[in-house]
Amino acid sequence: MPEELLARVVQVLVTVVEAVGAAVIFVGAVWTAGRFMVAGIRHRSAAVFTPIRLSLGRFLTLGLEFQLAADILRTAVSPTFGQLGRLAAIATIRTALNYFLGREIRQEQRQLGTPDGGVPAERAGPAGEGTGRR
């Protein structure tokens, strides 16, 4: 009986965490779509859309983390080898998605940090040349 109760509680928690992850992704998509439409009406420059893409990327990353947490919770109570294999595959895919999404976000942030995507001003030498050191 206690194991059945624990399994039910975990299933409720999984559902809640999955719902939070889905809500984060949905809110991010709606928020980004709204910002995209407003920026598209006001500005015609592609540079305006980069911060909007970064914002969506952050929402997606957070939502994927919640989804991964739900998958881990799902296998917390008496997992079978099949469930563990599925969790490993899902975790690998979601971790890879997060890695590449995070890398793209960092690249975009670096490009936003300088007008030409070069060396940030605090790392530039006296003549504006990059020193590569801080």
Side-chain angles (χ1 to χ4, degrees), residues 50-101:
T50 301
I52 296 170
R53 287 184 59 236
L54 289 173
S55 178
L56 178 61
R58 288 184 193 108
F59 277 105
L60 291 173
T61 300
L62 182 60
L64 284 171
E65 292 292 337
F66 276 104
Q67 297 299 321
L68 181 58
D71 291 330
I72 292 169
L73 272 173
R74 185 176 288 113
T75 59
V77 180
S78 304
T80 65
F81 282 112
Q83 288 173 324
L84 290 175
R86 195 175 99 200
L87 174 63
I90 290 170
T92 300
I93 292 167
R94 288 191 176 155
T95 300
L97 283 171
N98 270 340
Y99 171 77
F100 288 113
L101 190 56

Side-chain angles (χ1 to χ4, degrees), residues 98-116:
N98 270 340
Y99 171 77
F100 288 113
L101 190 56
R103 190 173 77 177
E104 185 174 341
I105 288 170
R106 285 188 299 278
Q107 281 179 324
E108 294 286 342
Q109 286 174 330
R110 279 195 298 272
Q111 289 175 358
L112 286 177
T114 59
D116 60 350

